[in-house]
Amino acid sequence: FRCMSHFHPFQRVEALRLYRDILRKCREFTWKDQYGRVWGTILRQSAREEFEYSKTERDPETIARLIFMGQTSLIELDKKLALKNEELRKQELDLLDDIQRTRND
């Protein structure tokens, strides 16, 4: 973010807020992919790459569009997290039911 001096002050604040929000949300992704990599780490690296790639952008409209797209992606990420958490809760309840059934048999 060293090259952000050309940003409108509001855009700079919004970009930094978005980046921090993404990093906070990534901490909630604790499960691993099929290769054993933690999803939070994968998402954090992807966000870093996107911000690094876009940090030299100078067009205010493009910057605003990038921030909007990032905010929209964060909302989608939150929805996916909620779905995954619900799936994990259901699996946990099913496992507890199985344990309870085996104890009663």
Side-chain angles (χ1 to χ4, degrees), residues 30-96:
T30 57
W31 57 90
K32 297 180 179 180
D33 71 358
Q34 67 269 25
Y35 304 109
R37 298 175 301 177
V38 177
W39 270 108
T41 302
I42 295 167
L43 294 169
R44 188 173 47 253
Q45 289 170 343
S46 177
R48 172 82 179 193
E49 289 169 8
E50 290 290 327
F51 275 80
E52 285 291 325
Y53 178 77
S54 302
K55 75 180 182 180
T56 58
E57 182 59 56
R58 296 193 180 278
D59 179 45
E61 287 183 29
T62 301
I63 293 168
R65 188 173 31 258
L66 289 168
I67 291 170
F68 177 77
M69 288 172 26
Q71 291 166 337
T72 302
S73 295
L74 186 59
I75 291 167
E76 289 301 313
L77 192 63
D78 198 40
K79 289 177 184 177
K80 289 179 183 182
L81 178 64
L83 288 173
K84 184 64 175 180
N85 282 334
E86 184 62 33
E87 177 187 323
L88 292 173
R89 273 193 295 274
K90 185 180 180 329
Q91 289 174 357
E92 186 177 301
L93 289 174
D94 290 346
L95 181 60
L96 291 172

